[in-house]
């Protein structure tokens, strides 16, 4: 099952642990609102058409045959040392995000503060013991520690900034402030103030660089291959051959008829070339799409490093489909905001094929990022004033409400195991979008086809 979080104002991230099955499929269906009838045509002019969704795969565990040695000498060898601690960091960040999500949904409570501090203390103890003195590992350890210290500070300050902070018991507030001051003292002792005492923007971008450095040990490296180039070039060559063959026959026909060079012949030659340029792109697109109908557009090959053996392949499909083309389980979960006329449903399919390659011994985290910035750019940021007046109150004044333009989307994710080892999972989210970004994203009720 996927879990969802808002990664930024415009980006949604869906994560899950990749199933151990050799073949899995994820199908994504995005239903635009009724008032966005021509949305696909508008988005064709934006960057959405180039790369709408990003997939990332991150190692969250270590091989089974290495687990018994994690605290022994093998754990001090590079790159196992860095990989082990990077997996710790990835798991810690997921646990931290769960706590933050619980606070967001249920409100800040004393138990949340206790759980957060326990999580921070446990991870700090884990990474700050058995530190290697080897130069390369020492540099890695310092960047990991600095990044964690900044992450801990941000989570603690987020609690203090929460509206419910003043309602917490004094013991919970004192516990949090005590740990915060401990972390500040630790920074001073370790000499981290130079990296963490600057302008907020500079610190943020520096920490993003640290995160990229830490992630490179566990982030799988993809080789992206665009499929269909051979078909596209073949169609292009065929159309050119066809038009130029007809033109050559025309030239030889008039040459045998003792036809002399004239302005009419020159214009005819120019028109043939103009016709070729006018029709070639459209014909190439139509014929290529027909030949490659229902076939993948991209293939990605994932490895732990550029020279490591292949782990698995991923195939990606993308298209805009109509309601009639949807599977029954998706139709029942399309939501009330669905606009039934026209081909306006965004569809993306990802198939992971691990057959014939290495077994996935580790736990692999799959992350799907969807950027809604192109959708938001189509909305107006102008707020329309709406006036209201209470006729029952003689002393009432005319009030004003500023209404901003909003679009409501439904997003359906279907997870399938092509081996049939696991049941099909359907998930749905209801998304509210404005010109300033995503203002709301909640889990929608899923209707199981078998229960209807």
């Amino acid at each position: 099952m996927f879990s969802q979080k808002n990664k930024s104002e415009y980006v949604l991230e869906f994560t899950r642990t990749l199933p151990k099955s050799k073949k899995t499929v994820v199908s994504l269906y995005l239903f635009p609102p009724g008032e966005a009838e021509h949305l696909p045509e508008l988005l064709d002019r934006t960057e959405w058409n180039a790369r709408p969704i990003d997939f990332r795969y991150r190692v969250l565990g270590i091989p089974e045959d290495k687990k018994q040695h994690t605290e022994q000498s093998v754990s001090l060898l590079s790159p196992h040392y860095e990989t082990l601690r990077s997996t710790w960091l990835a798991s810690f960040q997921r646990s931290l995000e769960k706590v933050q999500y619980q606070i967001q949904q249920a409100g800040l409570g004393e138990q949340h503060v206790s759980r957060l501090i326990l999580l921070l203390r446990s991870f700090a103890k884990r990474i700050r013991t058995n530190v290697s003195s080897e130069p390369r590992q020492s540099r890695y350890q310092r960047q990991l520690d600095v990044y964690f210290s900044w992450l801990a500070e941000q989570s603690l300050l987020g609690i203090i900034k929460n509206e419910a902070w003043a309602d917490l018991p004094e013991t919970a507030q004192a516990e949090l402030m005590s740990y915060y001051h401990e972390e500040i003292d630790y920074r001073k002792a370790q000499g981290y103030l130079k990296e963490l005492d600057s302008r907020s923007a500079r610190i943020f971008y520096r920490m993003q660089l640290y995160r990229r450095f830490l992630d490179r040990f566990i982030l799988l490296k993809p080789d992206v291959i665009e499929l269909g180039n051979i078909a596209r070039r073949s169609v292009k060559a065929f159309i050119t051959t066809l038009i130029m063959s007809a033109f050559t026959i025309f030239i030889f026909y008039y040459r045998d008829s003792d036809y002399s060079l004239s302005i009419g012949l020159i214009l005819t030659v120019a028109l043939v070339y103009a016709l070729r340029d006018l029709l070639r792109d459209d014909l190439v697109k139509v014929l290529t799409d027909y030949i490659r109908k229902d076939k993948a557009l991209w293939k990605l090959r994932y490895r732990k490093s550029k020279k490591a053996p292949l782990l698995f392949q991923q195939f990606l499909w993308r298209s805009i489909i109509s309601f009639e083309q949807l599977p029954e389980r998706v139709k029942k979960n399309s939501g009330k905001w669905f606009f039934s006329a026209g081909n306006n449903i965004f569809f993306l399919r990802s198939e992971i094929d691990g057959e014939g390659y290495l077994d996935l011994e580790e736990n692999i985290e799959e992350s799907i990022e969807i950027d809604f910035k192109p959708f938001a750019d189509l909305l107006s940021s102008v707020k329309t004033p709406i006036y209201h007046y209470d006729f029952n109150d003689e002393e009432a004044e005319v009030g004003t409400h500023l209404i901003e333009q909003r679009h409501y989307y439904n997003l359906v994710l279907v997870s399938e195991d092509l081996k049939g080892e696991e049941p099909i999972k359907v998930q749905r989210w209801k998304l509210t979008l404005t010109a300033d970004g995503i203002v709301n994203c909640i889990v929608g009720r899923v209707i199981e086809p078998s229960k209807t």
Side-chain angles (χ1 to χ4, degrees):
M1 297 288 284
F2 284 93
S3 59
Q4 173 269 328
K5 74 166 185 174
N6 291 37
K7 194 168 184 181
S8 69
E9 290 86 349
Y10 300 99
V11 179
L12 288 181
E13 182 182 35
F14 300 88
T15 56
R16 69 167 180 172
T17 300
L18 201 64
K20 297 296 184 181
S21 175
K22 291 289 187 179
K23 278 195 174 185
T24 59
V25 172
V26 173
S27 300
L28 183 148
Y29 303 87
L30 181 63
F31 297 86
E35 57 268 31
E37 181 178 359
H38 302 290
L39 188 61
E41 292 84 354
L42 295 173
L43 287 178
D44 265 347
R45 307 170 191 173
T46 70
E47 64 271 19
W48 167 268
N49 196 38
R51 193 174 183 183
I53 298 177
D54 282 333
F55 287 82
R56 288 188 177 88
Y57 295 91
R58 183 180 287 110
V59 179
L60 287 185
I62 57 176
E64 293 293 335
D65 59 344
K66 300 283 182 64
K67 284 187 177 180
Q68 57 181 330
H69 304 295
T70 54
E71 300 301 333
Q72 300 177 22
S73 60
V74 68
S75 66
L76 300 178
L77 300 176
S78 290
H80 188 68
Y81 179 89
E82 292 89 343
T83 302
L84 179 62
R85 280 156 178 75
S86 292
T87 58
W88 289 351
L89 176 63
S91 299
F92 162 74
Q93 286 195 282
R94 290 306 175 204
S95 300
L96 181 62
E97 289 167 1
K98 288 180 181 178
V99 175
Q100 294 170 340
Y101 179 77
Q102 290 174 356
I103 294 175
Q104 180 183 354
Q105 295 297 315
L108 181 62
E110 184 178 2
Q111 70 277 13
H112 296 125
V113 174
S114 300
R115 184 181 175 190
L116 175 63
I117 294 176
L118 178 62
L119 181 65
L120 295 176
R121 287 189 183 279
S122 299
F123 188 72
K125 181 180 179 181
R126 192 176 197 184
I127 64 172
R128 291 169 180 173
T129 54
N130 299 325
V131 177
S132 173
S133 59
E134 196 272 330
R136 174 179 170 179
Q137 295 173 359
S138 178
R139 175 174 174 266
Y140 168 87
Q141 173 65 29
R142 177 184 177 86
Q143 292 188 330
L144 171 64
D145 205 7
V146 169
Y147 181 76
F148 163 72
S149 182
W150 174 78
L151 204 61
E153 179 190 43
Q154 291 300 304
S155 59
L156 294 173
L157 294 180
I159 294 292
I160 297 174
K161 189 68 174 177
N162 194 292
E163 295 178 354
W165 167 256
D167 299 329
L168 287 177
E170 293 184 1
T171 53
Q173 294 182 1
E175 184 183 10
L176 186 143
M177 295 303 299
S178 175
Y179 179 77
Y180 179 69
H181 289 300
E182 286 179 22
E183 191 62 32
I184 297 299
D185 293 339
Y186 176 82
R187 286 185 189 180
K188 294 178 181 178
Q190 297 296 322
Y192 295 165
L193 292 183
K194 183 179 179 181
E195 293 159 283
L196 293 172
D197 187 13
S198 182
R199 291 187 295 110
S200 298
R202 179 172 293 182
I203 295 175
F204 173 77
Y205 289 118
R206 181 182 291 131
M207 292 304 105
Q208 294 307 302
L209 290 176
Y210 282 15
R211 175 64 189 271
R212 288 174 57 187
F213 171 78
L214 299 171
D215 264 357
R216 73 185 182 93
F217 296 100
I218 59 173
L219 201 63
L220 300 185
K221 282 68 177 178
D223 295 324
V224 183
I225 303 170
E226 185 178 358
L227 303 177
N229 281 331
I230 296 178
R232 189 179 301 106
R233 291 182 178 182
S234 300
V235 169
K236 186 176 180 180
F238 170 75
I239 293 174
T240 301
T241 301
L242 192 65
I243 294 177
M244 296 311 296
S245 297
F247 174 67
T248 304
I249 293 173
F250 167 78
I251 291 295
F252 274 87
Y253 172 77
Y254 278 100
R255 188 193 67 173
D256 294 340
S257 302
D258 296 328
Y259 192 83
S260 59
L261 183 65
S262 64
I263 294 180
L265 179 60
I266 294 174
L267 290 176
T268 302
V269 173
L271 286 174
V272 169
Y273 275 95
L275 182 64
R276 186 195 69 170
D277 290 340
L278 184 64
L279 298 178
R280 183 174 58 183
D281 291 343
D282 291 336
L283 285 174
V284 168
K285 184 179 185 306
V286 170
L287 291 178
T288 303
D289 290 346
Y290 178 78
I291 293 172
R292 292 196 50 79
K293 185 178 180 181
D294 298 329
K295 294 183 180 178
L297 300 178
W298 297 279
K299 178 172 71 173
L300 295 88
R301 300 161 64 89
Y302 288 92
R303 295 177 170 86
K304 291 183 181 179
S305 64
K306 294 297 182 181
K307 297 182 180 180
L310 185 65
L311 285 176
F312 58 86
Q313 295 188 119
Q314 181 187 27
F315 297 90
L316 293 178
W317 289 257
R318 189 198 66 196
S319 61
I320 297 172
I321 60 177
S322 64
F323 186 76
E324 289 72 21
Q325 296 174 273
L326 294 174
E328 191 63 28
R329 67 179 70 92
V330 179
K331 287 182 179 179
K332 294 182 179 296
N333 289 283
S334 58
K336 65 179 181 180
W337 296 106
F338 172 65
F339 186 78
S340 59
N343 300 324
N344 63 342
I345 303 169
F346 293 90
F347 167 68
L348 187 133
R349 182 172 185 259
S350 166
E351 179 179 318
I352 293 177
D353 183 4
E355 287 193 328
Y357 306 110
L358 295 179
D359 291 333
L360 298 180
E361 298 174 328
E362 298 89 347
N363 291 322
I364 306 294
E365 178 192 72
E366 180 179 41
S367 173
I368 305 176
E369 293 183 5
I370 308 176
D371 187 0
F372 285 92
K373 183 67 165 62
F375 294 85
D377 288 341
L378 300 177
L379 294 172
S380 172
S381 59
V382 177
K383 295 184 178 181
T384 305
I386 300 297
Y387 305 103
H388 63 90
Y389 178 75
D390 187 359
F391 291 96
N392 297 321
D393 187 356
E394 296 180 355
E395 299 181 357
E397 297 181 355
V398 177
T400 305
H401 284 165
L402 294 179
I403 307 299
E404 61 181 347
Q405 186 181 10
R406 295 190 172 195
H407 275 176
Y408 301 92
Y409 292 83
N410 275 286
L411 178 67
V412 177
L413 275 177
V414 181
S415 309
E416 302 179 60
D417 179 5
L418 295 184
K419 292 292 186 179
E421 298 174 358
E422 296 183 8
I424 297 175
K425 300 180 180 65
V426 181
Q427 294 175 268
R428 176 181 166 218
W429 287 267
K430 301 169 68 177
L431 172 70
T432 306
L433 187 69
T434 68
D436 296 327
I438 301 166
V439 296
N440 194 17
C441 185
I442 60 174
V443 178
R445 186 172 68 92
V446 173
I447 303 174
E448 296 293 341
S450 59
K451 298 180 181 180
T452 58

